[in-house]
Structure formats: C-alpha cells, structure tokens
Amino acid sequence: MTNDRAVAEIGIVLYPGAQLGMIHGMSDLFWIAGELSEAHGGERLRVSHWERGDDGFRRSFDTMPGAGSCPAVLVVPGSLSKVPSPQETEPYARWLLDRHAQGATLGSVCGGAFILAATGLLAGRPATTHWMFGEPFQRRFPDVKLDTDKMIVEDGDIITAGGLMAWTDLGLRLVDRFLGPSVMLETAQYLLVDPVGREQRHYSTCAPQLTHGDEAILKVQHWLQAKGGRDVSVTAMAEHAGMEERTFLRRFRGATGMKPTEYCQQLRVGKARELLEFSKRPVDRIAWEVGYEDAGAFRKVFQKRVGLTPGDYRRRFGTAAAA
C-alpha cells in the first residue's frame, strides 16, 4: 500500500516551450524510485510541477496534494525549440532566487541552465549545459565556469545537467541523494539506464543540509559554498552571520549537524574528489587548490574522510586515468 510520507519534495518548473519528455520522464523516474524504496520499507519522493500564473507560482501537479512541505529541490528542464530570452527568464529567475534563499537546491537540464544562470547564483561557479548552447551561454553569462564536456556538475546547492537526455543522470543523482545508492541502482536497472559512472560524482561533492530554516546559517552556507570552504575562519563566519561567535557555533551545529571546521573540510574534500576524478593534476597541486598548504595533512584528512588515499581514489574512480 502506498504511504503518504515523503523524504523530500522535488519540484519541476514548467514554462512555455519546456520539453515535456523531460518533465514527464523525471516524474516517472521519481515515482518508480519511490515504489522501489517503499518495497524496502523506505519513503517516497514527493513530485510536483510548478507553473506561473496571475497570482504567482503554484503547483499544477502534485503526487501528495495537501502535504505541507516546500520543495527541497527545484529543477528547470530544457526546451526543444530555443533557449529562453532574458525577458522570458526574468520572472522565473526571481522566483527561483527566492526559493534558493529559503533553502531549496536548484537544478537544471540542458537549456534550463539559462534560467538558472539568470538568478546570478552561478557566477564564479562550475556548471554545464548542452554542448550546442556553450557559446551563447558563455556570451550571456561570462562569469560562469562552464564545462560542456561534463554530463552533470553537482556543486552542493546547485546541480546542472548537460544534453537533452541528461535528465536521467540528474534524476538518478537526486534518487541517490535522497533514497540512497541501492534504490538508485534498482531504478536504473528498471529503466534500462546504464548507471556506470553516475554514482561516482555523487560521492565527489558535498550534499549539505539546507532546509533547516535558519536563514542566517543558510546565508553562511551559501557563502562557504561559493568560496569552496577555503581560507575562512570561524570568526569571519560569525561576522558574516551577524552573530557572536559562541552563538554562531551553537546555531551552525544545530542547523547542519557538524562544526563549521568539519563543514569546510567536507566541502574541500568534495572538491578534491572531483579534481581527482576529472583531472590529471598532481595530488600536491590539488591539495593546494582546495586550500591545504601541507600536502601530507591533506592526504591524512582525505583518507580519514573517504577511506582511500588520494592516489587509490584516483585509480579507482578517475575518468582521466581510464581514458
């Protein structure tokens, strides 16, 4: 029997010209994942579609109508015909920016990255979109670190996916995040989607707790994400939150479940994993890039958190080495 409990709500944003295949495909993928999760005694994902009307944005479809949650993730699909113009993106970008400020993780597929980038949240951060849109995207958003070679870029509170069918990669990534790797693999097998390589990137990034409701701490988390957790003292974090240091430490731990230093360490190790997987840079250079002046200390921290040395991790998961 289907229960009415959801571990998280994933909202899909509809707009004129949005690709219906992505919208309904992702909705089906999350429904299937929920069925498989329930079979193991787990929870489901609540799936909703959001449309803009005269009175703002509202749900036009909801698998759990009446439930009181807000979306933990909002995904902007791509378009079959053309990318949205700046005028078309503006009302959606404003709304997404507000939802992000309330703790929602934002995602996009294909040309949906144009709407996501219009929020300004991608400035200085890595992202991807369909390779055909690379040049126009870079012209419109030159401050985004665009990498169209990647199928998916997961950067904590922002997730972008590449081509038209990359919604399967994004969908499986979200299933992995909320329902776990076993349900993700079962979902991929049910849909006959090859999951090889998809689970790697899940473990290469930090999936922080952003829906705790503490706006001051959320502001610090967004700031730390943008800085990659580098060169930030607890004093500076407390000042950014507008709090006395002791109060900040207590509230940060209460909201995120970890100390600020542990949180920054997790961000830095997550970035190091990504560099080990997708680049051939020496380990010492990666250590420096993620904020460790002592490469030996970096190796110890990495092995403690990941269970593998940086070299072993690269041999096991590095796509550059495989190529």
Side-chain angles (χ1 to χ4, degrees):
M1 183 177 68
T2 300
N3 66 46
D4 58 356
R5 296 178 301 138
V7 67
E9 178 182 352
I10 299 177
I12 302 172
V13 182
L14 279 58
Y15 60 92
Q19 188 192 4
L20 296 178
M22 290 188 194
I23 295 165
H24 297 300
M26 279 192 288
S27 301
D28 288 347
L29 185 151
F30 296 137
W31 184 86
I32 291 165
E35 291 284 294
L36 295 169
S37 176
E38 275 195 338
H40 295 290
E43 293 182 305
R44 305 183 69 87
L45 290 169
R46 179 183 181 185
V47 184
S48 55
H49 297 173
W50 290 78
E51 291 192 70
R52 179 173 173 249
D54 294 336
D55 55 347
F57 287 83
R58 61 178 181 80
R59 295 179 181 91
S60 58
F61 169 81
D62 191 352
T63 58
M64 295 183 181
S69 68
C70 294
V73 180
L74 285 165
V75 178
V76 185
S79 170
L80 276 179
S81 54
K82 63 181 182 66
V83 297
S85 69
Q87 294 74 26
E88 290 170 326
T89 64
E90 195 268 339
Y92 295 90
R94 277 204 323 267
W95 182 71
L96 288 169
L97 189 61
D98 176 70
R99 300 316 307 169
H100 180 264
Q102 300 301 316
T105 293
L106 302 182
S108 67
V109 184
C110 195
F114 283 79
I115 294 178
L116 190 52
T119 64
L121 294 170
L122 293 184
R125 297 178 66 171
T128 190
T129 186
H130 195 294
W131 62 269
M132 289 183 64
F133 298 147
E135 288 187 15
F137 185 94
Q138 205 73 89
R139 284 197 301 270
R140 195 186 298 185
F141 306 106
D143 51 357
V144 177
K145 297 177 180 178
L146 186 68
D147 186 351
T148 54
D149 289 336
K150 292 184 179 178
M151 183 68 75
I152 191 162
V153 173
E154 186 175 3
D155 193 32
D157 55 337
I158 302 288
I159 310 173
T160 52
L164 286 171
M165 295 303 295
W167 61 264
T168 59
D169 298 82
L170 178 61
L172 290 174
R173 188 64 55 84
L174 293 174
V175 170
D176 198 354
R177 177 181 285 200
F178 291 112
L179 301 180
S182 297
V183 173
M184 183 275 287
L185 288 170
E186 283 191 60
T187 305
Q189 291 165 357
Y190 186 92
L191 293 171
L192 300 181
V193 175
D194 184 3
V196 174
R198 288 177 172 142
E199 70 273 25
Q200 291 180 38
R201 294 278 290 159
H202 173 76
Y203 298 109
S204 71
T205 53
C206 169
Q209 170 59 258
L210 300 170
T211 55
H212 44 68
D214 191 326
E215 293 186 9
I217 298 302
L218 181 63
K219 177 184 174 184
V220 173
Q221 287 179 272
H222 289 160
W223 180 57
L224 291 174
Q225 188 73 44
K227 294 177 70 66
R230 292 188 56 178
D231 305 322
V232 185
S233 66
V234 172
T235 300
M237 293 184 223
E239 289 177 356
H240 196 75
M243 297 179 193
E244 187 270 331
E245 195 167 311
R246 177 182 287 180
T247 302
F248 169 74
L249 287 169
R250 174 176 52 80
R251 282 178 55 177
F252 191 96
R253 186 156 196 171
T256 67
M258 60 183 79
K259 299 176 182 177
T261 50
E262 294 172 336
Y263 189 90
C264 289
Q265 192 177 82
Q266 182 169 305
L267 289 174
R268 292 154 78 183
V269 168
K271 183 62 178 177
R273 285 176 166 180
E274 179 180 336
L275 293 171
L276 288 166
E277 290 177 29
F278 295 97
S279 81
K280 297 181 181 179
R281 298 171 201 174
V283 171
D284 286 7
R285 180 180 168 187
I286 289 174
W288 181 83
E289 287 188 20
V290 299
Y292 288 91
E293 295 183 4
D294 184 346
F298 163 72
R299 286 179 168 87
K300 289 179 181 177
V301 168
F302 189 94
Q303 184 162 14
K304 181 179 179 182
R305 286 209 163 265
V306 181
L308 295 169
T309 66
D312 288 340
Y313 185 87
R314 168 172 274 163
R315 281 187 288 273
R316 185 169 176 179
F317 297 114
T319 57

